[in-house]
Amino acid sequence: MVGARRRYQKICGSRHGDKRQLSSIFFCLLLTSLISLFSACGPDKGYFRMEGEFKGFSQGEFYVYSTDGGLRKVDTVAVKGGRFTYQIPLDSAATFVIVFPNYSEIPVLGASGAEVEIKGDVSHLKEIEVRGTKENELMTGFRMKVSEMTPPETAREAAAFIGEHPATLTAIYLLNKYFIQTPEADLQQALTLSQAIRQARPSDRRIATLVRHLEGLQGLRTGATLPKFAATDIKGRPISSGDLYAPVNVITTWSSWNYESQTMLRQLKRREKEKGVSQLKIVSICLDADARECRRLLDRDSITWSNICDERMWDHPVVTALGLSKIPDNIITNSQGKILAHSLPVAELNKKIDELLK
């Protein structure tokens, strides 16, 4: 825009007395108006913009995070007079999630140079529409279709959608939401669906990594031996499977944008204080794209056990080796590396630790 104004000044000059310049001046004014119009039409290449209006939410803020690296941290977006605008640098397609104050979530599919409009009544979040790109219209159509369905019916619709549109980001989001990040995860079906997506997106490293995770989960069963691993934690300290020799050892995944996983860390901290580090050994893997945010939250909650965070998110070899596939996730082992339990909800994880360390 600054460059356009300079070109305008060069064309128009500073003198306006000569009648012969009137046509030039008119042209310059028209040019400036067109420049302003086009600069307001949408984000530049390399940016993604969301804007919209919420009924019943005139003032406040919501949060935005990305499940696949589109954002390196959780962002806060202000709502004024029911409207908001949010623009970020974005070079490739990514999945964003809007989180409202009541923790309800709306997925938004981003693309470089794209703009989407989000409208709806916050008292009927299932009916909020995201329009502007084909991906978001597909996602909105799915959400509207399943808004009154039972969980089993929704899962069937999600599987059918993935089968029809395996190359879309929407398919990846639905796979994660309905077949992986759920207490009753059907991991065999998740593996089958992820393989279909990988075939449709052969160059997508994230899907290739996910397939490896799910394949690894087939061996993550109670009674099996924990796979060997070695890594460096966020403080530069070496950590490996050989360090897990306490009577009870817990490996967890977490992230700055998943509140349940942060609750899990805080509760594990209390268990560690109660039981003692000689009885309970904890190692955590942060799946953030920004190690600085990981450090900030660890410092905030005074978490001192080894935390692995190298900004590779799901691509970290330890995550793949251990078959960890969701946030939060966990594995409990004994001093010989035998898997005693895995993928427990937070309440059940605490109960299991108490049971093992009576």
Side-chain angles (χ1 to χ4, degrees), residues 174-206:
L174 297 181
L175 170 70
N176 186 56
K177 181 175 178 64
Y178 295 108
F179 300 99
I180 298 175
Q181 301 280 357
T182 174
E184 296 80 27
D186 185 338
L187 296 177
Q188 186 54 55
Q189 186 177 18
L191 178 58
T192 300
L193 293 171
S194 67
Q195 288 169 336
I197 295 174
R198 181 173 64 174
Q199 188 173 1
R201 300 172 66 96
S203 60
D204 192 327
R205 291 192 308 109
R206 293 170 297 182

Side-chain angles (χ1 to χ4, degrees), residues 91-105:
D91 295 325
S92 58
T95 305
F96 301 92
V97 181
I98 290 176
V99 184
F100 290 96
N102 65 354
Y103 298 112
S104 297
E105 297 187 344

Side-chain angles (χ1 to χ4, degrees), residues 213-233:
H213 288 322
L214 293 170
E215 290 172 342
L217 269 175
Q218 309 307 308
L220 186 62
R221 64 188 186 279
T222 300
T225 300
L226 183 74
K228 291 183 179 181
F229 70 87
T232 302
D233 74 9

Side-chain angles (χ1 to χ4, degrees), residues 33-197:
S33 298
L34 288 172
I35 290 169
S36 298
L37 174 64
F38 284 116
S39 66
C41 283
D44 295 332
K45 187 70 174 176
Y47 285 83
F48 172 62
R49 184 160 73 201
M50 310 178 202
E51 60 181 26
E53 185 173 8
F54 293 132
K55 184 178 178 181
F57 191 6
S58 61
Q59 204 81 2
E61 60 188 24
F62 60 82
Y63 303 98
V64 178
Y65 71 86
S66 173
T67 60
D68 48 20
L71 276 174
R72 298 180 68 84
K73 60 184 180 66
V74 178
D75 262 358
T76 303
V77 181
V79 178
K80 296 181 180 179
R83 297 197 60 84
F84 72 92
T85 299
Y86 175 68
Q87 179 169 295
I88 55 166
L90 187 65
D91 295 325
S92 58
T95 305
F96 301 92
V97 181
I98 290 176
V99 184
F100 290 96
N102 65 354
Y103 298 112
S104 297
E105 297 187 344
I106 299 292
V108 180
L109 292 316
S112 180
E115 177 180 2
V116 297
E117 184 177 36
I118 306 171
K119 285 188 175 182
D121 189 331
V122 293
S123 63
H124 299 88
L125 288 172
K126 292 181 179 179
E127 299 174 10
I128 285 182
E129 296 189 3
V130 184
R131 302 290 184 186
T133 68
K134 182 179 179 180
E135 279 270 15
N136 283 290
E137 287 166 9
L138 281 171
M139 178 69 83
T140 295
F142 176 85
R143 289 176 44 247
M144 299 297 175
K145 186 175 183 178
V146 304
S147 62
E148 302 300 326
M149 289 185 180
T150 64
E153 290 172 334
T154 300
R156 285 195 292 272
E157 283 296 329
F161 182 99
I162 293 168
E164 293 172 11
H165 308 282
T168 62
L169 280 182
T170 304
I172 299 173
Y173 176 85
L174 297 181
L175 170 70
N176 186 56
K177 181 175 178 64
Y178 295 108
F179 300 99
I180 298 175
Q181 301 280 357
T182 174
E184 296 80 27
D186 185 338
L187 296 177
Q188 186 54 55
Q189 186 177 18
L191 178 58
T192 300
L193 293 171
S194 67
Q195 288 169 336
I197 295 174

Side-chain angles (χ1 to χ4, degrees), residues 229 231 233 239-241 243-244 249-254 264-265 268 272 280-286 305-308 318 322 324 329-331:
F229 70 87
D233 74 9
I239 180 70
S240 73
S241 50
D243 297 317
L244 303 179
N249 306 278
V250 180
I251 304 170
T252 71
T253 59
W254 70 283
M264 181 183 65
L265 292 188
L268 283 173
E272 182 190 53
L280 177 62
K281 177 84 172 182
I282 305 168
V283 173
S284 295
I285 305 169
C286 177
W305 63 72
S306 286
N307 265 270
I308 300 167
V318 174
L322 299 182
L324 296 163
D329 206 353
N330 51 73
I331 302 171

